[in-house]
Amino acid sequence: MEQQPLSWSELGNLISQLTEQVRALHCREPIDRLVGISRGGLPIGVCLSHRLGLPFTPVEVRSYREDRTQGDVVLDTPEEVLNRCTGHVLLVDDLADSGRTFAFLLEKFKELTGPKITIATLYYKPTSVIVPHHYVEETSKWIVFPWEE
């Protein structure tokens, strides 16, 4: 798979574009909490949280192994943490690849608190079973984020 390295500067530009999309949503439908999916969604979620003045909750969910293959989706965050995610929740990650993590979290939140969930990512891959409500770019490449180098 073709790789696309992303610089810190390019990352900043993408986050700014996503911020504007989410700010417009927040003005129409106020967001109560931002949830960042560990690991890639944490830097993006923290930036959005600061820029929009929203409370932030990190959630550790993983499916990728070190060899870049996917295994089972595993939640490593206590459900007590997820229970504070009510109302309108913005779920953020760096990209929607297979969409399995998003699908897993949508079900988990539905079981626990039933919030309205909006999904935002920097990148969306057409292979994803979940299409984010907000994303900046569509790609089929393997994105190498600056924190991965």
Side-chain angles (χ1 to χ4, degrees):
M1 178 179 292
E2 183 182 352
Q3 292 189 4
Q4 178 181 332
L6 187 67
S7 71
W8 286 106
S9 176
E10 292 166 326
L11 175 68
N13 289 334
L14 291 170
I15 292 173
S16 291
Q17 291 176 58
L18 188 61
T19 300
E20 291 313 308
Q21 288 183 35
V22 173
R23 188 183 317 277
L25 166 70
H26 186 46
C27 287
R28 291 188 318 272
E29 301 173 46
I31 298 165
D32 298 301
R33 179 168 296 275
L34 197 147
V35 173
I37 299 173
S38 175
R39 293 184 300 193
L42 296 184
I44 298 149
V46 167
C47 287
L48 289 171
S49 172
H50 281 286
R51 292 175 181 189
L52 300 171
L54 294 171
F56 178 75
T57 299
V59 174
E60 189 175 357
V61 179
R62 58 185 161 78
S63 63
Y64 275 98
R65 300 180 188 109
E66 291 300 318
D67 66 358
R68 294 185 177 174
T69 60
Q70 278 196 315
D72 293 335
V73 178
V74 177
L75 176 66
D76 284 336
T77 299
E79 287 187 358
E80 300 83 58
V81 172
L82 300 181
N83 283 332
R84 71 176 92 147
C85 302
T86 60
H88 185 185
V89 172
L90 181 68
L91 190 54
V92 178
D93 205 353
D94 50 2
L95 64 102
D97 189 352
S98 70
R100 292 176 58 227
T101 301
F102 284 122
F104 175 86
L105 282 173
L106 287 171
E107 274 305 307
K108 184 57 77 175
F109 279 122
K110 184 178 175 182
E111 291 171 18
L112 295 174
T113 62
K116 173 183 176 154
I117 294 184
T118 300
I119 297 173
T121 64
L122 297 180
Y123 291 97
Y124 158 69
K125 291 187 178 184
T127 54
S128 178
V129 295
I130 301 289
V131 179
H133 301 93
H134 299 277
Y135 63 91
V136 181
E137 291 186 14
E138 183 176 321
T139 188
S140 58
K141 298 176 184 174
W142 184 273
I143 306 298
V144 181
F145 290 90
W147 53 81
E148 296 175 317
E149 295 188 298

